[in-house]
């Protein structure tokens, strides 16, 4: 009898153990939680926390508000939040004027916006957190360490960094599998491209959620498979900046002569665009690439001289052009014969082939999609290369290399083979 009772107790005990514990020792409830976390879907994302209310932060917040999401907008001081909210309202006003959103949608979107300077409050209900604080690794790391501590365990933590390594930012957290790059373009409410960047430890699930989420707010997401400087868009464009910096150093053609040759094909010619964006921003980009990718990117003394003189472009009223009376008028009759549009296309295509060779992206169509949606051109580099012909572009690269013998200007093997299908 006693033996039967003991046997029954053991059986009951074993069944209890089977009910509540798994081989890993966690309860089924905990396991379910983990599975749910693993299988998180874009549909599960209801609340966004936007960290930083500056140019990008408020723009990204506006995108999610228009998509019907609840958004907590956080900055370090109320005045920055107020400026961000004013920016959001200004965008919504423009959309309303153009009939793109109704008065009801306007009110509904604004009602979904919560603001706070308290980080804990901003993230406590967040399913997806996006950081857009200034471009500084140490600052981003300290923000991510706090986000990791304060955000719900299931929340994905995304950075809008333009260049900084996602894997380095993720090191500041205990959830590197949930840290991604989420690179919007300026102005975020208008530009379609979002680069979804995989850090070394980012899980496929996190990438999928971020990708689907971007689609839900009508963006064009492109997955960047390898955490690499400049990701896709900025990387492909950077050699053009090196060329401009070298042309300044050579002293010819002048910025206006160069721009005059390009102006008929683009809304803003390259030097004009540099002035518009800010010569300081361009130099900062070149210095970063020189540090992490190749010394070839080092800004020339000639471009540094503009920086030293405080002539940063539109924002200071003077750069390569005088902006004090508004946008410069470029005289296309002054066009140089030294360079043409195909030189610029060749630089882009060549750099894009490096992304394929390095495994940053494995589909040329995705690179084209990114390039066509991150800037002004309707076509990506590979589509252009197909119509121009690779031998023509290789010849253009050789011409550039003959003038400025830098490794980054040399045509790649993929470029020379010229058989990329798009
Ligand atoms: N401006 C662009 O064209 C552009 C385009 C793509 C990506 N980015 C990237 O987006 C990020 C933000 O750029 P931006 O142009 O919006 O900068 P910004 O200077 O306009 O805004 C940054 C905001 O972050 C706030 N901030 C600083 N520390 C903070 C903290 N600890 N918590 C919360 N907020 C904090 C600042 O007060 C400021 O309002 C950068 O990483 C930048 O490289 C910028």
């Amino acid at each position: 009898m006693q033996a039967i009772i003991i046997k029954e107790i053991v059986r009951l005990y074993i069944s209890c153990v089977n009910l509540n514990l798994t081989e890993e020792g966690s309860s089924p409830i905990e396991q379910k939680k983990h599975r749910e976390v693993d299988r998180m879907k874009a549909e599960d994302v209801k609340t966004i926390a936007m960290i930083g209310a500056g140019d990008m932060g408020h723009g990204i917040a506006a995108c999610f508000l228009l998509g019907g999401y609840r958004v907590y907008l956080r900055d370090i001081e109320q005045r920055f939040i107020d400026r961000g909210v004013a920016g959001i309202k200004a965008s919504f006003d423009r959309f309303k004027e153009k009939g793109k959103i109704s008065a009801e949608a306007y009110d509904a979107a604004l009602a979904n916006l919560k603001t706070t300077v308290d980080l804990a409050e901003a993230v406590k209900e967040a399913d997806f957190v996006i950081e857009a604080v200034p471009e500084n690794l140490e600052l981003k790391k300290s923000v991510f360490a706090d986000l990791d501590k304060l955000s719900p365990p299931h929340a994905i933590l995304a950075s809008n960094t333009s260049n900084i390594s996602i894997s380095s930012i993720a090191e500041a957290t205990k959830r590197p599998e949930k840290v991604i790059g989420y690179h919007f373009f300026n102005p975020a409410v208008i530009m379609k491209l979002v680069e979804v960047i995989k850090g070394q430890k980012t899980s496929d699930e996190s990438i999928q959620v971020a990708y689907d989420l971007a689609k839900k707010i009508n963006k064009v997401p492109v997955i960047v498979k390898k955490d690499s400087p400049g990701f896709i868009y900025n990387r492909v464009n950077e050699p053009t900046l090196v060329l401009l910096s070298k042309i300044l150093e050579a002293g010819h053609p002048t910025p206006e002569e160069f721009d005059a040759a390009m102006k008929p094909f683009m809304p803003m010619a390259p030097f004009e665009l540099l002035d518009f964006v800010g010569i300081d921003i361009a130099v900062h980009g070149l210095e970063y690439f020189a540090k992490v990718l190749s010394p070839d990117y080092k800004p020339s003394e000639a471009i540094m001289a503009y920086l030293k003189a405080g002539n940063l472009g539109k924002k200071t009223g003077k750069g390569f052009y005088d902006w004090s009376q508004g946008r410069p008028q470029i005289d296309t009759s002054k066009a140089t014969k030294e360079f043409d549009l195909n030189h610029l296309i060749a630089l882009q295509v060549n750099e894009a082939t490096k992304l394929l060779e390095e495994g940053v992206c494995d589909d040329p169509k995705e690179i084209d999609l990114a390039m066509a949606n991150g800037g002004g051109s309707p076509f990506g580099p590979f589509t252009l290369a197909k119509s121009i012909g690779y031998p023509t572009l290789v010849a253009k690269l050789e011409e550039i290399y003959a003038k400025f013998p830098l490794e980054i200007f040399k045509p790649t093997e993929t470029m020379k083979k010229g058989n990329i299908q798009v």
Side-chain angles (χ1 to χ4, degrees):
M1 182 64 183
Q2 204 184 7
I4 293 170
I5 290 171
I6 290 171
K7 218 171 141 190
E8 197 52 25
I9 289 171
V10 168
R11 193 186 66 77
L12 266 175
Y13 175 75
I14 289 171
S15 65
C16 283
V17 166
N18 284 342
L19 249 183
N20 291 308
L21 293 178
T22 67
E23 57 281 10
E24 283 91 18
S26 57
S27 74
I29 293 168
E30 274 169 341
Q31 279 256 317
K32 184 162 175 276
K33 261 196 224 156
H34 285 138
R35 279 202 304 272
E36 277 168 0
V37 169
D38 285 345
R39 284 201 318 248
M40 183 176 171
K41 294 197 165 50
E43 293 72 43
D44 301 327
V45 176
K46 308 279 183 232
T47 304
I48 307 288
M50 188 66 235
I51 310 303
D55 288 344
M56 294 309 291
H58 84 253
I60 299 168
C63 297
F64 280 97
L65 289 168
L66 291 172
Y69 290 86
R70 193 153 63 125
V71 176
Y72 279 84
L73 181 63
R74 192 260 169 173
D75 207 302
I76 45 178
E77 286 184 38
Q78 189 59 42
R79 64 193 170 110
F80 300 136
I81 293 178
D82 293 344
R83 201 170 57 190
V85 172
I88 292 172
K89 284 185 180 156
S91 298
F92 288 1
D93 285 341
R94 278 195 299 276
F95 286 146
K96 202 162 79 174
E97 271 163 31
K98 289 183 180 165
K100 287 186 179 171
I101 55 168
S102 64
E104 293 74 35
Y106 183 112
D107 293 341
L110 273 190
N112 268 334
L113 174 64
K114 320 274 171 218
T115 62
T116 177
V117 288
D118 180 355
L119 185 61
E121 192 193 336
V123 300
K124 69 175 192 286
E125 290 170 32
D127 305 303
F128 200 93
V129 182
I130 308 170
E131 162 277 314
V133 306
E135 188 81 343
N136 173 302
L137 176 61
E138 289 319 308
L139 174 64
K140 292 206 190 265
K141 277 187 146 182
S142 101
V143 168
F144 269 74
D146 291 343
L147 291 177
D148 189 32
K149 281 187 208 113
L150 299 169
S151 306
H154 73 277
I156 290 175
L157 310 181
S159 173
N160 184 51
T161 176
S162 310
N163 283 318
I164 295 176
S165 149
I166 302 306
S167 313
S168 307
I169 296 174
E171 279 169 15
T173 74
K174 293 195 174 70
R175 58 177 103 181
E177 75 287 357
K178 289 186 168 295
V179 176
I180 62 158
Y182 216 36
H183 187 202
F184 286 71
F185 289 73
N186 196 10
V189 280
I190 308 283
M191 303 309 292
K192 288 282 180 198
L193 175 63
V194 181
E195 293 179 333
V196 183
I197 304 133
K198 203 170 184 316
Q200 269 165 21
K201 295 186 179 164
T202 312
S203 69
D204 290 341
E205 286 86 352
S206 301
I207 291 291
Q208 193 63 50
V209 171
Y211 181 91
D212 294 344
L213 190 62
K215 287 217 151 182
K216 280 179 177 286
I217 58 164
N218 287 323
K219 293 295 177 191
V220 176
V222 170
I223 295 175
V224 182
K225 296 204 161 144
K226 198 164 138 191
D227 189 8
S228 158
F231 313 125
I232 296 175
Y233 189 84
N234 288 348
R235 168 83 182 270
V236 170
N237 278 320
E238 206 65 17
T240 303
L241 268 189
V242 180
L243 178 66
L244 302 186
S245 156
K246 287 283 161 192
I247 285 174
L248 288 172
E249 189 176 56
H252 64 90
T254 64
E256 190 178 9
E257 287 164 350
F258 184 87
D259 277 3
M262 311 300 165
K263 187 73 186 171
F265 310 101
M266 37 183 82
M268 262 204 198
F271 280 107
E272 182 188 13
L273 183 64
L274 253 187
D275 258 0
F276 183 78
V277 173
I279 298 173
D280 52 334
I281 308 270
V283 166
H284 189 260
L286 287 170
E287 284 172 336
Y288 171 78
F289 275 80
K291 201 165 78 188
V292 297
L293 208 55
S294 155
D296 286 357
Y297 287 93
K298 188 170 180 280
S300 66
E301 286 304 317
I303 196 168
M304 292 302 281
Y306 285 86
L307 204 68
K308 285 175 191 151
N311 293 330
L312 307 181
K314 183 177 179 234
K315 61 186 159 195
T316 60
K318 196 169 183 310
F320 307 117
Y321 295 98
D322 181 358
W323 289 76
S324 57
Q325 308 301 315
R327 205 168 155 179
Q329 295 302 312
I330 296 166
D331 179 357
T332 50
S333 70
K334 291 187 180 162
T336 178
K337 299 261 181 296
E338 274 190 77
F339 295 95
D340 59 36
L341 185 66
N342 281 352
H343 286 107
L344 301 187
I345 294 172
L347 286 177
Q348 282 206 343
V349 180
N350 197 40
E351 205 60 23
T353 61
K354 293 178 199 170
L355 294 178
L356 295 175
E357 290 176 356
E358 293 167 16
V360 177
C361 202
D362 50 23
D363 184 352
K365 287 195 199 81
E366 290 285 291
I367 296 179
D368 269 8
L369 192 66
M371 297 312 294
N373 284 282
S377 165
F379 305 107
F382 292 122
T383 302
L384 290 170
K386 198 171 154 189
S387 70
I388 298 165
Y390 282 86
T392 305
L393 296 176
V394 168
K396 292 286 171 190
L397 287 170
E398 281 161 356
E399 281 174 27
I400 296 175
Y401 186 78
K403 288 192 172 90
F404 308 115
L406 297 175
E407 281 297 306
I408 55 161
F409 292 152
K410 272 191 179 166
T412 62
E413 288 308 311
T414 311
M415 189 83 193
K416 286 191 245 172
K417 279 190 203 134
N419 56 2
I420 292 167
Q421 301 302 318
V422 280

